[in-house]
Amino acid sequence: MSDTLALEKASAGRFVLRGDLRADNVAALLPQLPVTADRCKLDLAQVKNVDSAGLALLLEWQLRLQAAGGGLLLQSAPDQLIRLAQISSVDTILGLSINDSRDAKENDGA
């Protein structure tokens, strides 16, 4: 049994994702994703597990935001997500790299 996935608004344009970013959780989250012309920051520090469906959800959100004139900035992405994105050749679409993840964790307040 996986942990529930929850999206919480931390402040204007900043969100926190908690739980398992896996197939059995992502479908319920899709309709909750805000789509604006602004840049949304998503803190992934509390994401425990990720699979390809979780990666697809983030890609879908990024594409929806870009279509609206906005974008998605991922912060504190777990290495598991970054590796999966690299294997799938979508790491650049999401702006992910191992170094970026570590830098974001160190500069979270920036």
Side-chain angles (χ1 to χ4, degrees), residues 28-78:
L29 189 62
L30 186 60
Q32 298 176 37
L33 300 177
V35 178
T36 69
D38 298 320
R39 189 163 188 94
C40 292
K41 294 180 182 178
L42 180 62
D43 184 344
L44 298 166
Q46 296 183 44
V47 169
K48 297 178 183 175
N49 296 295
V50 181
D51 67 10
S52 60
L55 176 61
L57 176 83
L58 295 176
L59 283 168
E60 179 64 23
W61 192 9
Q62 175 73 292
L63 293 174
R64 289 181 182 191
L65 285 165
Q66 287 176 343
L72 183 63
L73 175 62
L74 302 179
Q75 298 178 320
S76 302

Side-chain angles (χ1 to χ4, degrees), residues 2 21 24 29 47 52 64 84 107 109:
S2 64
L21 189 55
D24 50 348
L29 189 62
V47 169
S52 60
R64 289 181 182 191
L84 187 58
N107 299 317

